[in-house]
Amino acid sequence: MREPENTPKPATPTRDRFRSSIGALAATLGSAIGLGNIWKFPSLAGQNGGATFVLLYLLCVLLVGLPVMIAELTVGRRARANAVHAYERLTPGKPWKLIGVAGVASAFMIMSFYTAVAGWVYAYIAKAAAGSLAVKADALGGIFGATVSGNFWPLFWQWVAIGVVGAVVMRGVSGGIERAIKRLMPALLVLLLVCDIRALSLPGAWTGVSYLFAPDFSKVTIGVVLAALGLAFFKLSIGMGAMTTYGSYMDPSENIPKTALRVALADTAVSLLAGLAIFPAVFAFGFQPNAGASLLFITIPAVFASMPFGRVITVVFFTLTAIAATGAMISLMEVVVAWLGERFRLSRTRATLAAMAAMAVVGLPVNLSNGSLAGIKVFGKNLFDLLDYTTSNIMLPVGGLFIALYVGWVWSYPTLRAALSNHEQLNNSRVSSLMHGLLRYVAPAAIAAIFLSCIGLIKV
Ligand code: PHE
């Protein structure tokens, strides 16, 4: 079951690519850094025992996330095609392209709730700048409720988010995505550091720091392990084709394992820095760390409102969150645009407009499920929570499982080694054999074991 060893020609001769290695790194990092770092990571860590969860998460990133990310980028670069066609071109006539089909579906599913949250974040920048978040803590719950539950404003902001992302994606890979993200990433880091310095200089900040770094092993359950695994997939944007698509724009000379390692480390650093901007302030002002998703929209504004320069910091904080969310949404939309463009031979403008319209349509009921459609429940969850849970905890890990199996078992070892060492231009032989082992055995076994124990088939 081996595919031809030589790399196919690009799908279209004029296929765009990242112009520089730093651009490729920035775009990939821009996809990884997102609401996951600021909205999911701190709230999951807060609910699941702080440092213990961080530790589990790091294990998932290193043993499963990183190998899958490297595999995906490599699939994309070898095939030079979108997430669906990539598998078709490398292994024609085989069902592996279903990984890509599921990936495009996941891109829609994630976008449907992600754009809603991004919309709230955009709205909060406006609210913070206007000073309407500088109110008593108990009023903030009402403001958040009103932000997410109307029939017009949540949709309006969701469409703004889709519009901003579409405007970037429409300009193309190098002229749009690479250019925009290269400017946004440094801004994000500076804004994050401003928040960190402010939070860490508060009296009592240390409690928050130790909360994030002191392990409490009594909190570990299999559900917590699955949550850590799901977060690793969501965070690194893997298991659904975003990395395959971005890999397809990378230069043949790009050192993929190195780029992936840098992205995983920098992304984890950003999650920890976000935690350090949030928890010290939460503790210093006597709030609860385990508020879940409302941590971002209720606790944070409350905390920031009560400190000096609070209004400025709130604007800064939501701006950096919006930047992070936008970089991630760009990659989600690009998965769909690359596929639509190459599958139906549409111009980039048309493919983007079609993707935007489709995303607005699927996003609508999901967004409204926090308000007028809240009554629709599936497995006890509203549509929003259902899609959030299903993508992170099922679709992405299952996608990752098959990607690992594909590269670990279908590709021969020499193929993998040639792809990771750029045909022996780089000295990556150790990395290649390590990746081979991780993709063949460790990652699939870990994902399968976590799933099986979650559904109760194996006991831990
Ligand atoms: N990695 C992004 C985040 O942390 C989310 C994402 C998932 C983006 C999958 C692209 C693909 O917010």
Side-chain angles (χ1 to χ4, degrees):
M1 225 201 339
R2 288 203 180 143
E3 83 289 9
E5 305 278 310
N6 49 341
T7 309
K9 300 258 175 315
T12 44
T14 53
R15 212 165 180 274
D16 202 355
R17 16 170 116 162
F18 296 128
R19 288 283 152 77
S20 65
S21 181
I22 186 87
L25 178 73
T28 313
L29 190 59
S31 166
I33 296 180
L35 291 170
N37 307 63
I38 300 159
W39 169 56
K40 282 192 170 217
F41 178 90
S43 62
L44 281 173
Q47 287 169 323
N48 296 313
T52 323
F53 182 82
V54 175
L55 216 65
L56 278 174
Y57 170 74
L58 288 177
L59 274 178
C60 291
V61 166
L62 289 178
L63 294 179
V64 183
L66 198 54
V68 171
M69 182 171 189
I70 292 175
E72 261 198 64
L73 288 168
T74 314
V75 168
R77 186 177 60 177
R78 279 195 66 215
R80 302 226 156 280
N82 65 76
V84 180
H85 291 174
Y87 295 92
E88 242 166 26
R89 305 187 92 213
L90 295 176
T91 30
K94 296 275 178 339
W96 293 105
K97 71 167 186 201
L98 291 177
I99 300 177
V101 174
V104 172
S106 299
F108 272 111
M109 291 167 71
I110 297 176
M111 274 304 252
S112 68
F113 69 88
Y114 207 93
T115 49
V117 183
W120 308 339
V121 173
Y122 283 19
Y124 265 54
I125 303 177
K127 287 188 206 290
S132 50
L133 297 181
V135 293
K136 289 238 159 31
D138 26 349
L140 282 162
I143 296 184
F144 180 54
T147 307
V148 307
S149 66
N151 278 335
F152 176 72
W153 288 108
L155 293 176
F156 170 82
W157 286 110
Q158 182 176 37
W159 294 336
V160 171
I162 294 175
V164 169
V165 173
V168 175
V169 170
M170 212 177 274
R171 294 202 160 81
V173 175
S174 51
I177 300 178
E178 182 175 358
R179 248 178 75 196
I181 305 267
K182 247 168 68 185
R183 291 189 192 149
L184 290 175
M185 279 297 113
L188 180 139
L189 286 177
V190 172
L191 297 180
L192 185 57
L193 288 177
V194 171
C195 292
D196 275 311
I197 294 169
R198 184 68 199 95
L200 290 172
S201 58
L202 291 167
W206 190 245
T207 326
V209 178
S210 64
Y211 179 76
L212 203 55
F213 290 110
D216 171 4
F217 288 99
S218 68
K219 289 266 168 54
V220 180
T221 62
I222 190 65
V224 171
V225 178
L226 178 66
L229 181 76
L231 181 65
F233 274 88
F234 187 83
K235 277 294 333 101
L236 297 178
S237 310
I238 52 179
M240 47 72 64
M243 288 299 137
T244 317
T245 309
Y246 274 14
S248 78
Y249 303 134
M250 283 185 182
D251 195 81
S253 65
E254 186 75 32
N255 188 342
I256 286 185
K258 195 164 154 194
T259 306
L261 180 65
R262 285 185 175 167
V263 169
L265 293 179
D267 176 66
T268 306
V270 168
S271 291
L272 294 173
L273 284 173
L276 285 178
I278 293 170
F279 291 120
V282 167
F283 282 100
F285 290 95
F287 285 91
Q288 284 304 315
N290 54 355
S294 58
L295 187 67
L296 178 57
F297 295 99
I298 299 176
T299 312
I300 299 225
V303 166
F304 288 167
S306 40
M307 65 196 202
F309 303 110
R311 184 157 155 191
V312 181
I313 292 289
T314 315
V315 175
V316 167
F317 183 84
F318 281 104
T319 308
L320 88 87
T321 308
I323 294 177
T326 307
M329 288 187 290
I330 287 174
S331 68
L332 284 160
M333 193 179 280
E334 180 60 26
V335 170
V336 176
V337 170
W339 172 70
L340 281 178
E342 287 167 14
R343 168 74 180 76
F344 300 101
R345 303 201 179 279
L346 296 180
S347 70
R348 181 159 273 272
T349 312
R350 289 199 174 178
T352 312
L353 288 174
M356 288 166 71
M359 281 168 179
V361 172
V362 288
L364 188 135
V366 177
N367 198 345
L368 293 184
S369 73
N370 289 304
S372 45
L373 299 184
I376 306 178
K377 295 255 197 271
V378 187
F379 302 118
K381 293 183 191 303
N382 70 5
L383 288 178
F384 183 98
D385 293 337
L386 181 76
L387 282 164
D388 179 8
Y389 185 89
T390 326
T391 45
S392 278
N393 292 6
I394 301 172
M395 301 282 286
L396 302 188
V398 172
L401 173 68
F402 282 104
I403 291 162
L405 292 175
Y406 176 72
V407 173
W409 292 90
V410 178
W411 285 19
S412 66
Y413 177 64
T415 306
L416 177 66
R417 183 168 157 160
L420 294 184
S421 66
N422 302 350
H423 298 277
E424 305 302 325
Q425 299 290 309
L426 304 167
N427 185 5
N428 269 350
S429 56
R430 282 233 195 104
V431 179
S432 306
S433 55
L434 179 65
M435 281 309 132
H436 192 57
L438 288 174
L439 289 167
R440 220 170 146 90
Y441 306 109
V442 179
I447 300 171
I450 295 173
F451 270 134
L452 291 178
S453 44
C454 273
I455 50 176
L457 283 183
I458 48 180
K459 290 256 171 300
V460 277

